Amino acid sequence: MPLLVMKFGGTSVADLDRIANAAQKVQREVERGYDVIVIVSAMSGKTNELVGWVEKTSPLYDAREYDAVVSSGENVTAGLMALRLQEMGIPARSWQGWQVPINTTSAHGSARFVSIPPDNMNAKFAEGFKVAVVAGFQGLSAEGRITTLGRGGSDTTAVAFAAAFGAERCDIYTDVDGVYTTDPRICSKARKLEKIAFEEMLELASLGAKVLQTRSVELAMRYKVRLRVLSSFEDTDETSGTLVCDEDEIMESKVVSGVAYSRDEAKMTLVKVEDRPGIAAAIFGPLADAGVNVDMIVQNISELDDPSDKRAYTDMTFSLPTNQVERAKKAMEDAKAAGQFAYAKLVTDTDVAKISVVGIGMRSQVGVAAKMFAALAAENVNIKVISTSEIKISVLIDRKYMELAVQALHDVFELDKA
């Protein structure tokens, strides 16, 4: 039988009524002739509650026991979904990670997949079961302990199962009806995309679009798993939602497919650092060791305070998440105290936002950057930092202009038009 993977997020299974609604969508696919693997998240809010219980019980918790507790939310949902499907006359059973088994690394709280042997589940399908309901977000380490994959891990679980079982498609049911050209809450002209390439979706996900978890898109691109994003709360058919696929399936790509933004950005500058070989490694090594996620980097010639000093100096500017600023400051101060490098001062700006335009059509089209910068200039939006890749241009701007910038770029690239 053809196989389909369906994933339901926390809001899609938030209570018994929504579980029943999700089960009806599964029933429709069974009636179309599919065997179905359903991946479920914990009921909305349950994971946060479980994490809170762990932290209250043991602030310096054992990560193995953390995983044992936090993974239980998905187990509850899987059992309830299987029961609901059985009540509807559909042969279904629930599966926890260790029963499949979903083999992962031993990095508790952030495990990665090693393998998903299909034999156990295929045997049950051969016996006549039509639906396997799998608890997402969890797996089994080589030591036989339960592991979890990190937040958003159920998306990744769904894609991994689609790859392991050769599924026809992986449908991700969520609280939005697809992938839009930008956030509809910011730009009323935002348009739902019929198709988007893996690379574009990966860039959008990494830039702040929260429709799909970044690791899940990476995995889908690697194994060519066709993803479909669609709403749990609307009637859907085989043309609903947005298909995330290989660019070869897209007839003609627009130059720019979407505008992404991230408001939780900060900018940090080390002023007057000696310009010498190895200085970048000396700066960004301690930041990496401290777990700081550096994104955009700009290096400029620094003005000399002392004309008699003939050494060359540089200013090093980089962006990072706002919640990592204090960690970055400490890493830089410690490195300076240890004599790894020196700087005149450290300047931090936590009132910035990152705006990005993304599109595979940018590979073959010139003038995209000029058009983007002109649109921002027309709105008197000053650019602080610029970063580019083959299919992306990102800028840092003052946060107060974020929504204006998104709307201006959406208009200038005519993203409201198909």
Side-chain angles (χ1 to χ4, degrees):
M1 300 294 289
L3 183 72
L4 194 67
V5 173
M6 304 172 72
K7 182 263 177 179
F8 294 94
T11 55
S12 303
V13 291
D15 53 39
L16 294 180
D17 287 340
R18 290 191 177 180
I19 289 174
N21 176 66
Q24 290 176 350
K25 295 182 181 300
V26 176
Q27 181 182 40
R28 280 198 290 271
E29 300 299 344
V30 171
E31 290 171 348
R32 288 173 179 151
Y34 287 104
D35 286 341
V36 182
I37 298 174
V38 178
I39 311 296
V40 291
S41 297
M43 299 165 81
S44 185
K46 180 56 67 176
T47 299
N48 288 338
E49 182 182 39
L50 293 169
V51 170
W53 288 352
V54 169
E55 292 175 342
K56 189 173 181 178
T57 302
S58 176
L60 299 175
Y61 54 76
D62 180 336
R64 294 165 296 186
E65 301 306 334
Y66 170 94
D67 279 358
V69 173
V70 174
S71 64
S72 65
E74 281 72 17
N75 296 342
V76 172
T77 312
L80 291 172
M81 176 68 82
L83 287 171
R84 183 64 209 170
L85 290 166
Q86 290 171 10
E87 287 295 310
M88 297 164 68
I90 299 171
R93 65 154 288 186
S94 65
W95 296 73
Q96 296 179 18
W98 63 270
Q99 294 172 301
V100 177
I102 303 171
N103 297 312
T104 72
T105 62
S106 301
H108 288 277
S110 58
R112 301 186 78 85
F113 292 105
V114 174
S115 65
I116 304 177
D119 297 349
N120 288 346
M121 197 169 284
N122 280 338
K124 288 298 179 183
F125 281 128
E127 291 175 14
F129 282 87
K130 300 301 296 178
V131 180
V133 186
V134 180
F137 177 64
Q138 62 178 247
L140 183 71
S141 72
E143 295 78 25
R145 299 286 309 189
I146 295 170
T147 58
T148 62
L149 307 174
R151 302 308 290 265
S154 292
D155 280 359
T156 312
T157 304
V159 175
F161 268 84
F165 284 81
E168 184 176 304
R169 195 178 64 244
C170 178
D171 288 348
I172 307 289
Y173 285 85
T174 182
D175 52 3
V176 296
D177 62 348
V179 180
Y180 279 72
T181 50
T182 196
D183 188 340
R185 296 170 298 181
I186 285 183
C187 182
S188 60
K189 296 180 181 178
R191 175 177 58 86
K192 184 166 69 69
L193 297 167
E194 180 183 341
K195 293 181 179 180
I196 186 170
F198 289 125
E199 289 177 89
E200 293 172 319
M201 190 67 245
L202 183 59
E203 289 284 8
L204 291 172
S206 65
L207 291 166
K210 295 178 172 59
V211 178
L212 287 173
Q213 201 258 0
T214 305
R215 275 175 63 193
S216 70
V217 184
E218 289 174 345
L219 202 61
M221 184 165 67
R222 178 178 177 184
Y223 292 102
K224 305 297 184 186
V225 173
R226 299 166 81 243
L227 296 175
R228 191 171 63 146
V229 179
L230 62 174
S231 173
S232 295
F233 310 119
E234 296 180 2
D235 290 333
T236 57
D237 56 31
E238 293 182 338
T239 64
S240 300
T242 299
L243 184 67
V244 186
C245 57
D246 194 89
E247 63 179 280
D248 292 343
E249 289 193 50
I250 301 174
M251 183 78 69
E252 186 73 25
S253 297
K254 290 177 70 74
V255 176
V256 170
S257 296
V259 180
Y261 67 91
S262 172
R263 56 166 51 92
D264 299 320
E265 297 289 325
K267 178 169 71 76
M268 186 170 285
T269 301
L270 298 176
V271 179
K272 199 179 177 185
V273 180
E274 188 175 357
D275 192 4
R276 58 175 173 79
I279 189 62
I283 292 171
F284 294 107
L287 289 169
D289 292 341
V292 176
N293 183 22
V294 173
D295 182 17
M296 308 163 79
I297 302 172
V298 174
Q299 186 175 0
N300 295 315
I301 296 173
S302 184
E303 293 185 7
L304 295 177
D305 294 331
D306 183 0
S308 65
D309 188 345
K310 301 304 181 183
R311 288 174 295 180
Y313 290 93
T314 186
D315 293 345
M316 191 73 75
T317 299
F318 54 90
S319 67
L320 68 164
T322 52
N323 62 2
Q324 296 179 9
V325 167
E326 293 305 315
R327 196 186 311 168
K329 281 183 180 178
K330 186 176 187 307
M332 294 295 90
E333 290 165 357
D334 289 350
K336 181 180 181 180
Q340 294 177 252
F341 59 90
Y343 54 86
K345 59 181 176 178
L346 191 156
V347 180
T348 302
D349 183 356
T350 57
D351 196 25
V352 296
K354 179 169 63 179
I355 308 294
S356 307
V357 296
V358 174
I360 54 176
M362 291 166 59
R363 289 182 181 140
S364 57
Q365 184 77 24
V366 299
V368 178
K371 193 172 185 178
M372 177 182 185
F373 301 155
L376 295 175
E379 300 293 343
N380 292 316
V381 177
N382 185 45
I383 298 171
K384 297 175 179 286
V385 179
I386 300 169
S387 174
T388 65
S389 73
E390 191 178 27
I391 65 167
K392 174 196 72 177
I393 303 171
S394 296
V395 297
L396 277 188
I397 63 172
D398 287 328
R399 190 175 298 154
K400 63 183 178 181
Y401 296 119
M402 185 188 76
E403 294 189 13
L404 174 64
V406 169
Q407 292 163 358
L409 294 174
H410 198 275
D411 285 345
V412 77
F413 288 109
E414 299 182 329
L415 298 184
D416 57 319
K417 299 177 182 177

